Amino acid sequence: MVDFAKAIEAGMQAHEEAMLARKEIRGVFQDLIDQTSAATHGSVRTFVRPPPDSSEPRRVGTPPPPESYESVVVQRASTEQRHVLFEFRLSEKGYPVRLRYPRNEVGCYSREDLEAALQNLLASPHAGAIFRRLLDDSLESSVEGESGTRVSVSP
């Protein structure tokens, strides 16, 4: 005889494990946000942007929307200039997490995988170019010459 009660218990346990994994993943992203702010002396704001709303009704016969990814966005603190650093998608169980950025897609199966992938991403030319644009613009807008004219600063 099938033991549905045992299956329900297993499902509730799986739910608890998934919630813990998702909390851990969000904690890693929060560490990234905090350290980005510290490394840029508050010049760059980092935040998670939710996926586009795909709950809108569709007409019969229309294809489903593409997979929805959340985004980690970096923004120059003094303006609205912003860039998507990477997109991510959690699985139903939390892990694996899929990270996606230009010419790369990485699957992370543990906290260690996720931290290593994020570290590699931040050290990449893609992220370097984004931060350089944000920080250079920030430096240029905050430095003025003696006559009050803006002076370009090269690090």
Side-chain angles (χ1 to χ4, degrees):
M1 180 173 178
V2 175
D3 190 346
F4 291 116
K6 193 172 192 177
I8 291 169
E9 285 296 321
M12 289 191 299
Q13 180 61 37
H15 170 73
E16 290 299 318
E17 291 169 5
M19 295 309 292
L20 289 173
R22 287 171 173 265
K23 183 177 180 180
E24 178 178 88
I25 292 163
R26 297 288 178 188
V28 171
F29 289 150
Q30 189 59 54
D31 290 346
L32 171 77
I33 289 167
D34 294 344
Q35 290 184 37
T36 300
S37 179
T40 63
H41 306 290
S43 297
V44 174
R45 181 176 157 253
T46 307
F47 59 94
V48 175
R49 183 175 60 197
D53 183 18
S54 61
S55 63
E56 296 176 12
R58 294 182 297 123
R59 291 193 305 162
V60 175
T62 59
E67 285 187 298
S68 294
Y69 280 74
E70 293 179 74
S71 303
V72 171
V73 177
V74 289
Q75 177 181 346
R76 192 167 130 193
S78 60
T79 68
E80 291 299 312
Q81 181 183 1
R82 61 180 65 165
H83 300 276
V84 173
L85 187 57
F86 66 93
E87 297 175 317
F88 69 94
R89 183 166 190 216
L90 306 179
S91 75
E92 182 182 16
K93 295 178 181 179
Y95 292 107
V97 180
R98 306 284 320 158
L99 300 182
R100 193 166 70 171
Y101 57 100
R103 293 177 291 287
N104 286 288
E105 188 162 338
V106 182
C108 305
Y109 295 86
S110 67
R111 180 185 187 109
E112 293 77 22
D113 287 352
L114 179 58
E115 290 172 337
L118 291 172
Q119 191 170 25
N120 288 337
L121 163 65
L122 292 172
S124 73
H126 163 73
I130 289 172
F131 282 106
R132 176 62 61 204
R133 273 190 301 254
L134 293 172
L135 291 171
D136 283 352
D137 288 347
S138 179
L139 285 173
E140 288 179 12
S141 67
S142 65
V143 177
E144 293 185 346
E146 289 182 19
S147 63
T149 58
R150 196 174 287 154
V151 175
S152 179
V153 177
S154 298

